[in-house]
Amino acid sequence: MLVVTRKRNEAIIIGDAIEVRVLRVGRDGVRLGVTAPPSVPVHRTEIYKLICEENRAAAAGGATLPGDFAARIRLRAQNPAPEPDPHDD
């Protein structure tokens, strides 16, 4: 894992087309801005995990309706699970 230190308005570039910029640093966290081509999906981790779960369920034949999926995303966005500490290895 590459670890970098960035200040407000500083960025890193991934490949030739993805930029991750620090927009704000506050008590509750860091706000990042991601610029990427439309062909590159960009998701928060908790949303990506939900998408993967739904894809596995669909492949197994237990897919939910799109409205159910949207409701689950809204519920998790309102009550997000705490992120694991990357230093707990």
Side-chain angles (χ1 to χ4, degrees), residues 46-54 69 72-73 76:
E46 61 273 16
I47 300 300
Y48 178 76
K49 288 178 181 178
L50 275 175
I51 292 169
C52 290
E53 288 173 20
E54 291 297 319
F69 180 62
R72 286 179 56 203
I73 289 175
R76 289 222 184 151

Side-chain angles (χ1 to χ4, degrees), residues 14-31:
I14 301 170
D16 292 328
I18 301 171
E19 177 184 273
V20 180
R21 180 171 297 276
V22 177
L23 301 177
R24 185 179 73 201
V25 179
R27 289 182 309 201
D28 296 335
V30 177
R31 178 165 285 190

